[in-house]
Amino acid sequence: MYRTNTCGELRLSDAGKEVTLAGWVQRSRKMGGMTFVDLRDRYGITQLVFNEAEDADLCDRANKLGREYCIQVKGVVSERQSKNDKLPTGDIEIIAKELIVLSPSLTPPFTIEDVTDGGDDLRMKYRYLDLRRPSVRKNLELRHRMTILIRNFLDSKQFIEVETPVLIGSTPEGARDFVVPSRMNPGQFYALPQSPQTLKQLLMVAGFDRYFQIAKCFRDEDLRADRQPEFTQVDCEMSFVDQDDVINLFEEMCRMLFREIRGVELPKLQQMTWKEAMRRFGSDKPDLRFGMEFVELKDAFNGKGDFSVFNEAKYIGGICVPGCANYSRKQLTELTDFVKKPQIGAKGLVYIKYNADGTVKSSINKFYSPEVLQEIKQVMGAKDGDLVLILSGDNANKTRIQLCSLRLEMGDRLGLRDKNVFKCLWIIDFPLFEWSDEEQRLMATHHPFTMPNPDDIPLLDEHPEQVRAKAYDFVCNGIEVGGGSLRIHDTKLQEKMFEVLGFTPERAEAQFGFLMNAFKYGAPPHAGLAFGLDRFVSILAGLDSIRDCIAFPKNNSGRDVMLDAPSELEPKQLEELHLKVEVKK
């Protein structure tokens, strides 16, 4: 046997035992005639002791060990004289009797410790070394535990796990597809699934009733902290259910996960409509860990001053930042520059400082009387010492989204977004369609198979932008963790949906004929939901990026710097695929 025990399990009760350990050299130090080596494996660290007086040759070999050497050691468990209360194994050490170097190591490019000297790119290039760090490994252990808990929960609720294909047809109504050329079908391409959406609906038609899959999904989108080109969904679908059935079941699952992983008891979650969330927070995934709710000020300012920016605006909204009236000119300029960033897009920022001494200072002092500014104080619910920040614009929702960015920035600055506090809710009643400036047409807010609210179906012909969806998102701490909807199971209604989206009957038939034909064979009412597993793990692990809970992630350019992918193909491969590559300048 390579080992009788792991490096994390021996205790004082094991003193006197002969044991064999195997692992990696974390560090070594020589003190007089003694050499101490910290041996690490996945389970912990155990100190080894080599005594020159007892075995000079063995001690000399131990002195030649480098960091990350993979070794095997045989010895006797002994009580440690200088105990280490920071290690579970800190009461014991191994008096080494034999040493075998299983594999030497080059000097690693960064220290394999929680606090490392390796930058992101370097650690991603040597990800197999980065994964040896306990802080990284524990994220994957948590991910493993979550998937086991999810599988057991869904199994207890009569769900069956079914794998669906990874090579499917392209469905460009949504995010951009990754495509795969087919050698056996020249000039034709598979697509990697953005989700198993249509396939899980077909499983409902097939009578599987309750399906789930921990599924790989692929979207060719620009990356950010919570997005990777390939990601994992806990994908679920159910037959003969309504919206409350789905929400209640998966809220129970989330409550179980928070209890088991973090010891947190979630209360019964509130449901907030999309319209209310946008009005109060400017986001369909509001962060409820702190206040600063929006106050609409159009009526409060209307006709009371000579400030053309407000007089001409369609929307004026403000947030009250508690205790920040002492912000300096420099800090206010920083906030103004922040909202003017291209990714936010505001033209400017108005502030009102209600100072602790009762005085008022504002960037619009010359346009409004002190009485008006006192009225605003009342409307905002501000107190002496508070700072009011105001944005305005021609498009209400666009301005609300800008104000949301400012609210979150202030939440960060004031330390109000504690990763150990969890505020979850459901967002419901999304619009069925949203306008795409890029496409210059209505697009499905979620996907084309989402059920319209039955009360709004008469609006599909004349006012589709007013139609609500039977859709729901699970939101935690300002992050969309999961989302789903009731599905259309009627061929006629699905055809109508495609018509509103601008599909010709021929295009609808070509892309989704298989699904619409399936609906003609007794399709049951069905609904589903998918959780982003990477996002869920990152929230429960307290991480800033989903990349830290994925074994081998891509960087911000979508590259795997360890495997050097994507890469060019050999000419012979291109020839077999009947492809010719011409990169546009």
Side-chain angles (χ1 to χ4, degrees):
M1 294 198 317
Y2 274 103
R3 61 185 180 186
T4 58
N5 300 88
T6 70
C7 294
E9 67 175 297
L10 294 171
R11 299 293 186 270
L12 201 51
S13 58
D14 297 302
K17 286 184 181 178
E18 290 190 359
V19 297
T20 304
L21 303 184
W24 289 265
V25 174
Q26 178 79 20
R27 66 179 69 85
S28 64
R29 54 205 180 278
K30 186 171 173 59
M31 299 175 65
M34 311 280 280
T35 296
F36 299 91
V37 174
D38 288 345
L39 188 67
R40 182 196 72 244
D41 64 9
R42 172 184 148 195
Y43 305 96
I45 292 176
T46 297
Q47 178 171 281
L48 314 176
V49 182
F50 298 84
N51 191 331
E52 189 176 21
E54 291 189 8
D55 192 330
D57 178 62
L58 183 65
C59 193
D60 183 58
R61 289 169 56 212
N63 288 333
K64 294 174 182 175
L65 294 174
R67 282 192 295 139
E68 299 308 310
Y69 272 49
C70 186
I71 64 171
Q72 180 190 52
V73 171
K74 295 182 180 180
V76 178
V77 180
S78 176
E79 183 173 2
R80 189 164 166 173
Q81 295 300 311
S82 178
K83 294 181 172 60
N84 183 347
D85 58 8
K86 295 179 180 177
L87 289 177
T89 59
D91 290 344
I92 61 99
E93 58 193 9
I94 308 301
I95 307 301
K97 304 298 183 185
E98 296 180 36
L99 167 65
I100 298 174
V101 175
L102 300 173
S103 179
S105 173
L106 298 173
T107 301
F110 53 87
T111 54
I112 312 297
E113 297 187 16
D114 284 349
V115 179
T116 183
D117 54 0
D120 281 357
D121 286 344
L122 186 64
R123 289 188 296 106
M124 289 306 103
K125 183 175 181 180
Y126 296 94
R127 182 63 166 175
Y128 46 87
L129 297 179
D130 194 41
L131 288 169
R132 292 182 185 176
R133 296 196 300 128
S135 58
V136 180
R137 186 187 63 245
K138 73 177 183 181
N139 296 332
L140 295 185
E141 290 173 343
L142 186 147
R143 183 186 181 112
H144 161 75
R145 188 175 173 216
M146 279 185 67
T147 56
I148 294 294
L149 289 169
I150 289 167
R151 277 194 165 97
N152 289 341
F153 176 86
L154 292 174
D155 179 64
S156 74
K157 301 294 183 181
Q158 287 78 52
F159 282 78
I160 181 171
E161 185 169 11
V162 182
E163 293 182 26
T164 54
V166 172
L167 296 175
I168 63 169
S170 179
T171 55
E173 183 72 14
R176 191 179 293 108
D177 284 330
F178 281 102
V179 294
V180 181
S182 170
R183 179 185 59 81
M184 293 183 289
N185 300 276
Q188 296 185 319
F189 295 81
Y190 299 106
L192 303 182
Q194 296 180 28
S195 79
Q197 181 61 48
T198 55
L199 296 160
K200 64 182 178 179
Q201 290 189 250
L202 289 174
L203 287 171
M204 297 303 101
V205 176
F208 274 73
D209 187 65
R210 292 190 170 196
Y211 140 95
F212 86 97
Q213 181 181 189
I214 297 180
K216 274 288 188 185
C217 304
F218 308 85
R219 293 179 187 174
D220 188 5
E221 297 179 301
D222 294 336
L223 305 188
R224 58 190 187 209
D226 63 350
R227 182 179 287 164
Q228 284 270 301
E230 53 181 308
F231 57 96
T232 306
Q233 284 186 350
V234 180
D235 197 55
C236 307
E237 199 79 4
M238 306 166 70
S239 293
F240 308 115
V241 289
D242 61 21
Q243 181 167 299
D244 286 340
D245 293 324
V246 179
I247 285 177
N248 290 337
L249 187 143
F250 287 102
E251 186 173 316
E252 182 185 347
M253 187 184 87
C254 293
R255 194 170 283 113
M256 176 274 296
L257 289 171
F258 275 93
R259 183 190 312 117
E260 294 291 330
I261 300 294
R262 293 300 300 261
V264 170
E265 287 292 341
L266 289 185
K268 176 67 178 173
L269 301 186
Q270 67 167 304
Q271 296 182 18
M272 185 183 297
T273 66
W274 176 87
K275 188 173 287 187
E276 182 185 354
M278 293 302 298
R279 178 179 59 79
R280 292 171 59 188
F281 302 100
S283 172
D284 57 9
K285 44 184 183 291
D287 189 339
L288 301 185
R289 285 174 292 181
F290 64 104
M292 295 190 227
E293 288 193 27
F294 297 179
V295 178
E296 298 191 10
L297 298 170
K298 179 69 177 167
D299 291 342
F301 279 112
N302 196 27
K304 296 179 181 176
D306 197 24
F307 188 43
S308 61
V309 172
F310 280 2
N311 292 338
E312 295 169 9
K314 296 286 195 306
Y315 173 85
I316 306 170
I319 58 172
C320 179
V321 188
C324 286
N326 59 356
Y327 257 41
S328 65
R329 178 179 292 276
K330 180 184 176 184
Q331 288 172 303
L332 292 167
T333 300
E334 285 175 357
L335 291 179
T336 302
D337 292 341
F338 173 79
V339 299
K340 285 183 173 181
K341 285 181 179 179
Q343 58 267 43
I344 297 174
K347 292 181 179 177
L349 174 67
V350 167
Y351 70 86
I352 308 175
K353 295 163 65 168
Y354 294 103
N355 296 317
D357 62 5
T359 60
V360 180
K361 185 172 182 181
S362 171
S363 54
I364 52 173
N365 272 343
K366 62 182 179 182
F367 300 108
Y368 295 98
S369 68
E371 292 75 22
V372 171
L373 296 183
Q374 285 299 323
E375 289 175 19
I376 299 301
K377 181 180 181 182
Q378 297 302 315
V379 173
M380 291 296 307
K383 299 181 179 64
D384 288 343
D386 291 349
L387 172 68
V388 170
L389 301 173
I390 302 171
L391 294 181
S392 63
D394 294 333
N395 183 302
N397 265 358
K398 185 176 178 181
T399 308
R400 287 185 179 114
I401 291 168
Q402 294 165 351
L403 192 56
C404 173
S405 296
L406 180 60
R407 174 180 179 267
L408 296 178
E409 172 70 11
M410 297 312 298
D412 284 332
R413 286 184 174 223
L414 298 178
L416 301 175
R417 304 181 75 190
D418 186 343
K419 288 178 183 156
N420 293 310
V421 174
F422 303 99
K423 295 292 184 181
C424 305
L425 76 158
W426 293 95
I427 302 296
I428 60 172
D429 286 351
F430 284 84
L432 187 63
F433 304 102
E434 60 187 5
W435 181 258
S436 168
D437 288 331
E438 184 180 344
E439 296 273 342
Q440 286 296 297
R441 66 179 178 92
L442 287 175
M443 303 276 282
T445 300
H446 288 87
H447 52 65
F449 317 108
T450 302
M451 175 73 79
N453 188 307
D455 295 339
D456 297 347
I457 288 177
L459 298 171
L460 277 170
D461 285 317
E462 299 295 330
H463 298 287
E465 73 284 351
Q466 296 178 20
V467 177
R468 292 167 297 165
K470 294 294 284 184
Y472 33 84
D473 277 0
F474 179 82
V475 174
C476 179
N477 292 359
I479 299 169
E480 176 203 331
V481 183
S485 66
L486 270 61
R487 321 300 192 190
I488 298 170
H489 65 282
D490 174 77
T491 304
K492 296 289 186 189
L493 184 55
Q494 188 64 71
E495 287 172 348
K496 183 66 181 176
M497 184 75 170
F498 286 138
E499 179 187 322
V500 175
L501 288 168
F503 281 60
T504 62
E506 293 76 20
R507 183 185 167 202
E509 175 64 31
Q511 285 192 16
F512 301 111
F514 65 93
L515 184 65
M516 292 189 289
N517 288 333
F519 287 168
K520 296 172 183 175
Y521 292 91
H526 56 286
L529 181 144
F531 287 97
L533 180 64
D534 314 292
R535 290 184 184 180
F536 215 156
V537 174
S538 68
I539 288 171
L540 292 179
L543 303 173
D544 292 319
S545 168
I546 65 170
R547 192 169 72 175
D548 295 326
C549 62
I550 297 173
F552 299 103
K554 309 290 188 290
N555 68 10
N556 289 338
S557 301
R559 292 197 64 80
D560 185 324
V561 293
M562 182 182 69
L563 300 177
D564 194 24
S567 59
E568 295 179 354
L569 295 181
E570 293 290 333
K572 184 179 179 182
Q573 290 175 284
L574 291 172
E575 186 179 334
E576 287 176 337
L577 294 168
H578 306 276
L579 293 178
K580 181 180 179 182
V581 175
E582 184 178 326
V583 180
K584 292 182 179 179
K585 300 280 174 120

